[in-house]
Amino acid sequence: MILLKSHSCGELRKKHVGANVDLAGWVDRRRDHGRLIFIDLRDRGGIVQVVFNPEVSKSCHEIASEMRSEYVVRVSGEVAPRPPGTENPKLPTGDVEVIIDNTEILNTSKTPPFYINEDTEVEESLRLKYRYLDLRRARMKRNLLLRHQIVKFMRDFLDAQGFIEVETPILIKSTPEGARDYLVPSRLYPGKFYALPQSPQQLKQLLMVAGVEKYFQIAKCFRDEDTRADRQPEFTQLDLEMSFIEEEDILNLLEGLFASMVETVKPEMRMIKPFPRLTYAEAMEHYGTDKPDLRFGMEIRDLSDIVAQSDFSIFRSAIAEGGKVKGICAPGCASYTRHQLDELNKLVQNLGAKGLVTIILGTSGGSINDLTLEMVKSVATKFITLDHIKQMAECLGANMGDLLLIIAGKPKIVDMVLDELRREMGHRLKLADPNVLAFAFIVDFPLLARNEEMGQWESMHHPFTAPRDEDVSLLDVAPEKVRGKHYDMVCNGCEIAGGSIRIHTSHLQRKIFKLLGYNDDEIEERFGHLLEAFDYGAPPHGGVAPGIDRIVMLMAGEETIREVIAFPKTQSATDLTVNAPSSVAEEQLAELHLLLREES
RNA sequence: GGCCCCGUGGUGUAGUGGACUAACAUGCCACCCUGUCACGGUGGAGAUCGGGGGUUCGAAUCCCCCCGGGGUCGCCA
């Protein structure tokens, strides 16, 4: 026998009754009744109950009494209908069972360090150390399968649209202006290094010059920066690029791809269609972030004009110093206790705000017109008139019984803190439906942002992003006003994709590099290959790169991308499964011409 | 680099200065059990409470340092 299995455990149904089957898998659970032993046998396809009856086979029954959790076993027998009344509706295979007349233990197993057969919380470091066991669990198996289905859909979809998949190198050239690079020392060239790609950006643009026209790749990207729930040192992007297109083409492609992918792979999840489009300015104004969670409202409103003339020094001084006063309305939260308000205050202070002004609007429902000063609970009542409070409540769309949360300070801090508060309150009030994927496009980004520390212009996206045609003339006089042909796709508060129409002439590209502070030598050394390529008939082109880990995370309903990566790294960038990074032998270092520095 | 949370039998939790000789569930081991499916029953083994130091008559519990995991700000063109 070459194959140990004639069927998968999970596929057996009533129609198989009478068939002799060969199965193999892991012991999920054992129920030993003394004479009769039931084993739930598990393989990738599912679980089926197999029965060891000493009256059928005494030797099989003896072997089965030795079986324990996670033993690897092979069984053969006849598929039988379960006796009436003993069917198990919880199992897809619950109408049948396999009466075993031949079996073998292929391998034993130690008692696993955590439950494989139960969906209980286990400390993540333990799961990662024994990731191969963790991946046996239903949740991880489901996530791996979903990821496969998503990636397969992407490949099929893009193939049907005429894209071709091209691989680009993993050993490329360091580009220190972006994220920190992962470096690979060169054995053949002492003192020189390759870098792992932060993204295949320049290579895919060269593929456009090469006439590929429609390219994509499931691309591993590497960035040596600190991790987050949605950020890993290495991650996967659906990298794609097209020639002879404009921004609208990319957005249409994305919407078509993601909408049909969700409808195919996760039909139970809902979307807002067509995907809403917000300008960067609108997103920042109403959500305080360029990646808003649009599953709920609770929009931020600017209250500066209302309170500018008030006697409340916190508000007045913030505005006088060039700051803003903005707030949100937490519906129905007037009953918040002192303790809960203190908690929120602590939250905003940890984020860098000076404090949180809370205004409780009465205790029961009703029209805000009936509000009296006695019904308002807030430190602000001493300094702010009832009229101002009513105006703020109206501006925030508040009703009686609601809680206003107001932050004053520098615009950047105010936005960041209110974004956090909005998401926190949305979470507490369960406003974000987990079965909704609220995709949206963010457009009209500024091309450049001022780096205050360095006193220099930096690319908002990357230096290859084309400025809007009508703004090109502003590059010389007012760079901050130049809008880029840059777009993001966001979903549920997560940046899912970023892309742009690229510069495709060396003249304009050089101009941008110079604006970013590079001199001619630096431009030549770092980007000479790209600029030269542009002089050989580079077509207009643009593209986008959706993060695969993130979209799988959202579709799997997970909180971190580690749950959808087979072997993820910890927050401190270690791999607990294989214990990486690790020391290397002195001989390896010597071969690479490396000497370790003494760190103080 | 900053701030915050977590670490108690194999696993998940309870215990927040004395009654803890550390509890509960589950897992594990042994025996019993022919229809269970998170099988059931009886019995048993198993943690000096992440590590180190300190305070105290007394520390799982309070303080300090360290280690590990997580969240986040900075960082992520």
Side-chain angles (χ1 to χ4, degrees):
Chain A
M1 187 190 299
I2 295 171
L3 260 181
L4 296 176
K5 304 166 66 150
S6 65
H7 293 74
S8 154
C9 295
E11 71 176 291
L12 296 180
R13 295 289 184 279
K14 267 189 176 148
K15 66 177 179 188
H16 295 101
V17 166
N20 278 296
V21 297
D22 303 314
L23 304 174
W26 288 262
V27 174
D28 194 64
R29 225 175 259 284
R30 172 182 70 111
R31 290 178 293 281
D32 185 343
H33 285 236
R35 301 294 297 279
L36 209 52
I37 298 175
F38 300 98
I39 298 254
D40 288 341
L41 190 65
R42 182 191 75 237
D43 65 11
R44 203 187 79 192
I47 287 174
V48 69
Q49 171 167 286
V50 301
V51 186
F52 295 90
N53 188 334
E55 286 166 18
V56 173
S57 166
K58 193 162 188 301
S59 60
C60 286
H61 182 266
E62 278 168 14
I63 293 170
S65 66
E66 298 298 312
M67 293 178 184
R68 295 292 183 273
S69 286
E70 300 309 310
Y71 275 33
V72 184
V73 302
R74 179 192 66 71
V75 297
S76 301
E78 186 180 329
V79 179
R82 293 211 189 177
T86 69
E87 300 88 353
N88 184 354
K90 291 184 209 159
L91 280 181
T93 61
D95 286 334
V96 299
E97 60 192 10
V98 185
I99 312 299
I100 304 306
D101 57 24
N102 190 330
T103 189
E104 181 184 355
I105 293 174
L106 299 172
N107 205 350
T108 60
S109 170
K110 289 197 217 174
T111 302
F114 49 82
Y115 301 104
I116 309 294
N117 52 17
E118 280 179 34
D119 192 20
T120 51
E121 286 296 315
V122 179
E123 198 188 322
E124 196 173 347
S125 53
L126 191 68
R127 292 174 55 202
L128 291 177
K129 180 177 177 188
Y130 296 99
R131 189 61 153 182
Y132 45 88
L133 298 179
D134 191 33
L135 294 173
R136 283 184 195 168
R137 309 210 303 167
R139 172 190 185 180
M140 287 294 111
K141 199 155 62 172
R142 194 170 60 232
N143 289 351
L144 284 185
L145 177 65
L146 176 67
R147 186 175 179 125
H148 162 75
Q149 289 168 330
I150 288 170
V151 171
K152 170 139 187 357
F153 187 92
M154 289 172 167
R155 284 203 158 101
D156 292 345
F157 184 94
L158 292 171
D159 174 70
Q161 303 264 332
F163 285 77
I164 65 171
E165 187 168 5
V166 181
E167 292 175 74
T168 54
I170 293 295
L171 295 175
I172 55 167
K173 178 171 171 160
S174 178
T175 52
E177 44 280 332
R180 200 176 290 114
D181 279 322
Y182 277 101
L183 296 177
V184 180
S186 160
R187 172 178 59 86
L188 295 175
Y189 301 94
K192 298 203 171 174
F193 295 81
Y194 301 95
L196 307 183
Q198 294 175 27
S199 86
Q201 183 59 37
Q202 295 186 48
L203 294 157
K204 70 174 170 179
Q205 290 191 245
L206 292 176
L207 287 172
M208 293 303 102
V209 182
V212 169
E213 294 197 38
K214 289 180 171 187
Y215 143 91
F216 82 98
Q217 178 180 196
I218 309 296
K220 266 290 176 83
C221 305
F222 306 86
R223 294 177 190 176
D224 188 2
E225 298 292 349
D226 288 352
T227 64
R228 288 289 184 278
D230 62 354
R231 269 165 41 186
Q232 282 268 300
E234 56 178 301
F235 59 99
T236 309
Q237 289 190 333
L238 170 62
D239 194 50
L240 67 89
E241 195 81 3
M242 289 196 279
S243 296
F244 310 112
I245 45 93
E246 264 303 341
E247 179 163 342
E248 196 60 31
D249 300 294
I250 300 281
L251 300 191
N252 286 336
L253 178 81
L254 282 176
E255 182 157 347
L257 169 57
F258 280 83
S260 56
M261 180 180 83
V262 171
E263 281 155 9
T264 305
V265 178
K266 273 271 184 180
E268 68 274 25
M269 293 190 99
R270 299 188 303 281
M271 290 170 281
I272 304 166
K273 286 205 296 182
F275 295 177
R277 295 187 185 189
L278 283 75
T279 67
Y280 173 79
E282 286 167 351
M284 293 306 297
E285 178 64 20
H286 290 155
Y287 302 96
T289 175
D290 60 2
K291 44 180 182 173
D293 187 342
L294 297 184
R295 285 175 296 175
F296 60 96
M298 208 192 281
E299 289 183 20
I300 298 168
R301 290 288 179 261
D302 194 331
L303 308 170
S304 305
D305 290 344
I306 298 174
V307 298
Q309 301 306 318
S310 77
D311 294 330
F312 199 11
S313 64
I314 292 176
F315 289 169
R316 271 218 339 239
S317 62
I319 293 168
E321 288 162 19
K324 293 268 182 198
V325 177
K326 294 173 115 180
I328 54 172
C329 167
C333 290
S335 57
Y336 258 43
T337 61
R338 179 63 189 266
H339 177 73
Q340 285 172 300
L341 296 176
D342 285 348
E343 216 174 61
L344 291 177
N345 212 326
K346 205 176 158 196
L347 176 86
V348 306
Q349 286 181 357
N350 280 335
L351 290 167
K354 294 229 177 72
L356 174 69
V357 175
T358 57
I359 301 179
I360 287 173
L361 300 173
T363 46
S364 54
S367 165
I368 211 76
N369 291 326
D370 303 330
L371 191 74
T372 64
L373 212 48
E374 292 72 50
M375 298 158 89
V376 178
K377 272 194 273 178
S378 171
V379 292
T381 51
K382 290 180 196 157
F383 314 104
I384 299 185
T385 63
L386 179 64
D387 191 45
H388 279 156
I389 290 173
K390 281 186 178 175
Q391 281 184 48
M392 289 196 286
E394 190 187 356
C395 181
L396 289 167
N399 294 306
M400 298 280 274
D402 292 351
L403 167 67
L404 306 187
L405 301 171
I406 300 167
I407 302 282
K410 290 182 183 155
K412 224 177 137 179
I413 300 270
V414 170
D415 284 339
M416 191 259 274
V417 171
L418 281 172
D419 168 38
E420 182 62 37
L421 264 184
R422 179 179 172 271
R423 281 184 291 129
E424 172 66 23
M425 296 312 295
H427 177 74
R428 290 190 188 191
L429 298 171
K430 297 197 178 1
L431 298 177
D433 186 336
N435 279 312
V436 169
L437 290 169
F439 289 103
F441 293 115
I442 312 295
V443 298
D444 281 354
F445 280 79
L447 184 70
L448 302 161
R450 191 83 184 173
N451 182 323
E452 302 297 345
E453 278 173 40
M454 312 282 282
Q456 262 191 354
W457 290 107
E458 287 183 343
S459 294
M460 195 86 173
H461 182 45
H462 58 51
F464 314 110
T465 302
R468 293 261 291 246
D469 302 334
E470 62 270 36
D471 293 352
V472 169
S473 59
L474 292 170
L475 280 171
D476 296 315
V477 289
E480 72 281 0
K481 288 188 181 159
V482 178
R483 289 164 300 171
K485 292 183 182 174
H486 165 39
Y487 32 84
D488 275 357
M489 189 173 75
V490 301
C491 183
N492 299 3
C494 215
E495 182 191 321
I496 288 295
S500 61
I501 301 300
R502 327 296 185 187
I503 296 165
H504 66 281
T505 65
S506 62
H507 170 73
L508 184 56
Q509 186 67 73
R510 253 179 230 284
K511 187 179 179 111
I512 296 291
F513 283 142
K514 291 211 166 155
L515 196 55
L516 296 173
Y518 297 113
N519 64 38
D520 286 331
D521 288 347
E522 288 167 336
I523 293 173
E524 206 46 48
E525 151 66 19
R526 294 183 189 172
F527 306 107
H529 51 278
L530 189 69
L531 291 167
E532 189 177 19
F534 284 173
D535 286 335
Y536 286 98
H541 61 283
V544 71
I548 290 185
D549 311 286
R550 289 181 183 174
I551 188 64
V552 179
M553 170 185 85
L554 293 177
M555 289 173 69
E558 294 287 3
E559 299 286 329
T560 88
I561 61 172
R562 294 188 301 279
E563 301 295 351
V564 298
I565 296 172
F567 299 100
K569 294 193 171 41
T570 63
Q571 186 167 71
S572 44
T574 62
D575 183 318
L576 297 180
T577 313
V578 301
N579 265 317
S582 59
S583 307
V584 297
E586 177 55 34
E587 294 73 42
Q588 287 175 284
L589 290 177
E591 206 166 43
L592 295 167
H593 323 286
L594 295 179
L595 193 62
L596 292 182
R597 200 184 269 261
E598 290 295 329
E599 301 280 346
S600 53

